[in-house]
Amino acid sequence: MNAVTRRGLVLAVVCLVGIGFADCFISTSLQLQTGSSALLRQSGMSLRRAQGAASRAVFPGRSARGCRCSIASGEMVETQEKTASRTAISPAEAKERLQKLQDADQDGDKWNKEEVTTVLDSMKDGENGIVWNSVPMLYRRCTLNELRMLTRGTIKEGTLDLNGDDDMEVLNISFYATLISSMFLSTVAAVAVPDMPQLAFFRGEILRYVITFGIGSLPFAFLGAGLSVPGLLQAALIQGRRLLSKEFRQRLVYHEAGHFLVGYCMGLPVAGYQANDSILNACQFFPPDEGIAGRLQYDEVDRLCAVSMGGVVAEAMRFGEGVGGFADLTQLQGLISRATPRLDDKGQQERVRWGCVSAYTTLKRHEKALDALADAMMAGATVAECVELIERFGRDLRD
């Protein structure tokens, strides 16, 4: 019993040290993530951060956390001028052309912004009431009370998680579950593991010692993974939530469907998406033309705000609250800082709020299309099939 007592004391010290490391780790993470939710508050806050933050949805070649929209630049897709020589096509024909472009794309030169936009614009020439690029950006100043009123109470302070509280809660629960489990299992191992004299290198109490301290070191392994390979740890946690929670799986899909639908309605063609992936869930929009960079005009910033907030607003409409907005807002901060003339803190907050209103009104008008799009994306539909589906529901709305 003396040996067991000593081992128990050592394990207690290990657990206490582990808790100390956990507190430091969690406190540091919280400090890094504070401030984002102030965009929906009246208090001032600067959004001018570095643009290197990761996001849930990305342009090709950029990765981020599973659940969220990316727009690597504010260059908007300008619809081409209508010409008499252009042949009007139906949404079904547009689907076929887009599918052919995507199927024929071997080297990445067929499925590009110009080709896709040309097909979609040709469809728009055929019908005045087409959904593609049908939502104009009409900015107006928006306070918190107006945000709550214009969204009929769907979006208000506390509805949207814009500072990563949900991620931190999952991280805390996972760590403490690991800590408690390791304490219990290591104690059991210290008492129950028998001596194995027949083993050459684990005679006597050596095997019991190795197993006990191996299990007791799991909290340190958890912390080490969070510091050295956070992406791998995050992917594991996301996959675990996907397996255990049907609602979480639906949240991921609705989030990306919200980005897809808002961007499509505002004239941003979608390059691709991942809505059922354990590591990266993303709605990918085409990058800008080469050589176009620099400052962003206000109308472009307004469109970026609406598309970026479309995912978390879709979550709030479907589930009553949105928990996946931190990564989107983090990326949006860098884009807003490129507005010209430069926006002050109050102007940045107002434009993000108006982006929430624009996303809400767009998704509310096409709510049936949003539900159908989420189901299609869950089933792995192609971009062409999603486009045809949106237009079909848009036609039903007009009828």
PDB file of all heavy atoms in Angstrom, residues 222-234:
ATOM      1  N   PHE A 222      -2.736  16.450 -24.504  1.00  0.00           N
ATOM      2  CA  PHE A 222      -3.814  17.297 -25.034  1.00  0.00           C
ATOM      3  C   PHE A 222      -3.332  18.736 -25.183  1.00  0.00           C
ATOM      4  O   PHE A 222      -3.544  19.370 -26.229  1.00  0.00           O
ATOM      5  CB  PHE A 222      -5.018  17.228 -24.087  1.00  0.00           C
ATOM      6  CG  PHE A 222      -6.248  17.901 -24.601  1.00  0.00           C
ATOM      7  CD1 PHE A 222      -7.252  17.177 -25.217  1.00  0.00           C
ATOM      8  CD2 PHE A 222      -6.419  19.276 -24.470  1.00  0.00           C
ATOM      9  CE1 PHE A 222      -8.404  17.801 -25.693  1.00  0.00           C
ATOM     10  CE2 PHE A 222      -7.556  19.908 -24.932  1.00  0.00           C
ATOM     11  CZ  PHE A 222      -8.552  19.164 -25.547  1.00  0.00           C
ATOM     12  N   LEU A 223      -2.692  19.263 -24.146  1.00  0.00           N
ATOM     13  CA  LEU A 223      -2.184  20.627 -24.202  1.00  0.00           C
ATOM     14  C   LEU A 223      -1.105  20.771 -25.267  1.00  0.00           C
ATOM     15  O   LEU A 223      -1.045  21.759 -25.991  1.00  0.00           O
ATOM     16  CB  LEU A 223      -1.627  21.035 -22.838  1.00  0.00           C
ATOM     17  CG  LEU A 223      -2.643  21.193 -21.708  1.00  0.00           C
ATOM     18  CD1 LEU A 223      -1.921  21.453 -20.395  1.00  0.00           C
ATOM     19  CD2 LEU A 223      -3.597  22.328 -22.007  1.00  0.00           C
ATOM     20  N   GLY A 224      -0.233  19.779 -25.364  1.00  0.00           N
ATOM     21  CA  GLY A 224       0.821  19.831 -26.375  1.00  0.00           C
ATOM     22  C   GLY A 224       0.256  19.850 -27.782  1.00  0.00           C
ATOM     23  O   GLY A 224       0.742  20.580 -28.652  1.00  0.00           O
ATOM     24  N   ALA A 225      -0.791  19.066 -28.015  1.00  0.00           N
ATOM     25  CA  ALA A 225      -1.425  19.064 -29.335  1.00  0.00           C
ATOM     26  C   ALA A 225      -2.067  20.415 -29.628  1.00  0.00           C
ATOM     27  O   ALA A 225      -2.006  20.910 -30.758  1.00  0.00           O
ATOM     28  CB  ALA A 225      -2.475  17.952 -29.411  1.00  0.00           C
ATOM     29  N   GLY A 226      -2.682  21.033 -28.603  1.00  0.00           N
ATOM     30  CA  GLY A 226      -3.298  22.334 -28.810  1.00  0.00           C
ATOM     31  C   GLY A 226      -2.293  23.421 -29.140  1.00  0.00           C
ATOM     32  O   GLY A 226      -2.608  24.360 -29.873  1.00  0.00           O
ATOM     33  N   LEU A 227      -1.076  23.304 -28.632  1.00  0.00           N
ATOM     34  CA  LEU A 227      -0.051  24.314 -28.881  1.00  0.00           C
ATOM     35  C   LEU A 227       0.743  24.056 -30.149  1.00  0.00           C
ATOM     36  O   LEU A 227       1.114  24.985 -30.853  1.00  0.00           O
ATOM     37  CB  LEU A 227       0.902  24.388 -27.679  1.00  0.00           C
ATOM     38  CG  LEU A 227       0.291  24.883 -26.367  1.00  0.00           C
ATOM     39  CD1 LEU A 227       1.298  24.741 -25.229  1.00  0.00           C
ATOM     40  CD2 LEU A 227      -0.162  26.326 -26.493  1.00  0.00           C
ATOM     41  N   SER A 228       1.009  22.792 -30.465  1.00  0.00           N
ATOM     42  CA  SER A 228       1.875  22.464 -31.601  1.00  0.00           C
ATOM     43  C   SER A 228       1.102  22.165 -32.877  1.00  0.00           C
ATOM     44  O   SER A 228       1.504  22.578 -33.964  1.00  0.00           O
ATOM     45  CB  SER A 228       2.776  21.273 -31.242  1.00  0.00           C
ATOM     46  OG  SER A 228       1.986  20.141 -30.882  1.00  0.00           O
ATOM     47  N   VAL A 229       0.014  21.422 -32.779  1.00  0.00           N
ATOM     48  CA  VAL A 229      -0.781  21.070 -33.967  1.00  0.00           C
ATOM     49  C   VAL A 229      -2.256  21.388 -33.687  1.00  0.00           C
ATOM     50  O   VAL A 229      -3.093  20.486 -33.629  1.00  0.00           O
ATOM     51  CB  VAL A 229      -0.593  19.588 -34.355  1.00  0.00           C
ATOM     52  CG1 VAL A 229       0.733  19.365 -35.038  1.00  0.00           C
ATOM     53  CG2 VAL A 229      -0.735  18.681 -33.139  1.00  0.00           C
ATOM     54  N   PRO A 230      -2.602  22.666 -33.527  1.00  0.00           N
ATOM     55  CA  PRO A 230      -3.995  23.013 -33.192  1.00  0.00           C
ATOM     56  C   PRO A 230      -4.987  22.604 -34.264  1.00  0.00           C
ATOM     57  O   PRO A 230      -6.132  22.269 -33.967  1.00  0.00           O
ATOM     58  CB  PRO A 230      -3.948  24.533 -33.017  1.00  0.00           C
ATOM     59  CG  PRO A 230      -2.744  24.972 -33.783  1.00  0.00           C
ATOM     60  CD  PRO A 230      -1.748  23.854 -33.652  1.00  0.00           C
ATOM     61  N   GLY A 231      -4.567  22.628 -35.526  1.00  0.00           N
ATOM     62  CA  GLY A 231      -5.472  22.225 -36.596  1.00  0.00           C
ATOM     63  C   GLY A 231      -5.881  20.768 -36.493  1.00  0.00           C
ATOM     64  O   GLY A 231      -7.050  20.423 -36.703  1.00  0.00           O
ATOM     65  N   LEU A 232      -4.921  19.909 -36.149  1.00  0.00           N
ATOM     66  CA  LEU A 232      -5.216  18.489 -36.001  1.00  0.00           C
ATOM     67  C   LEU A 232      -6.145  18.244 -34.814  1.00  0.00           C
ATOM     68  O   LEU A 232      -7.097  17.448 -34.897  1.00  0.00           O
ATOM     69  CB  LEU A 232      -3.914  17.703 -35.822  1.00  0.00           C
ATOM     70  CG  LEU A 232      -4.042  16.178 -35.715  1.00  0.00           C
ATOM     71  CD1 LEU A 232      -4.665  15.614 -36.981  1.00  0.00           C
ATOM     72  CD2 LEU A 232      -2.679  15.548 -35.453  1.00  0.00           C
ATOM     73  N   LEU A 233      -5.886  18.931 -33.696  1.00  0.00           N
ATOM     74  CA  LEU A 233      -6.750  18.794 -32.530  1.00  0.00           C
ATOM     75  C   LEU A 233      -8.154  19.296 -32.843  1.00  0.00           C
ATOM     76  O   LEU A 233      -9.156  18.676 -32.461  1.00  0.00           O
ATOM     77  CB  LEU A 233      -6.160  19.574 -31.359  1.00  0.00           C
ATOM     78  CG  LEU A 233      -6.992  19.591 -30.067  1.00  0.00           C
ATOM     79  CD1 LEU A 233      -7.164  18.181 -29.524  1.00  0.00           C
ATOM     80  CD2 LEU A 233      -6.344  20.492 -29.018  1.00  0.00           C
ATOM     81  N   GLN A 234      -8.241  20.408 -33.542  1.00  0.00           N
ATOM     82  CA  GLN A 234      -9.543  20.962 -33.890  1.00  0.00           C
ATOM     83  C   GLN A 234     -10.305  20.018 -34.811  1.00  0.00           C
ATOM     84  O   GLN A 234     -11.515  19.825 -34.656  1.00  0.00           O
ATOM     85  CB  GLN A 234      -9.358  22.318 -34.567  1.00  0.00           C
ATOM     86  CG  GLN A 234     -10.667  23.057 -34.811  1.00  0.00           C
ATOM     87  CD  GLN A 234     -10.445  24.410 -35.426  1.00  0.00           C
ATOM     88  OE1 GLN A 234      -9.810  24.522 -36.477  1.00  0.00           O
ATOM     89  NE2 GLN A 234     -10.948  25.444 -34.788  1.00  0.00           N
TER      90      GLN A 234
END
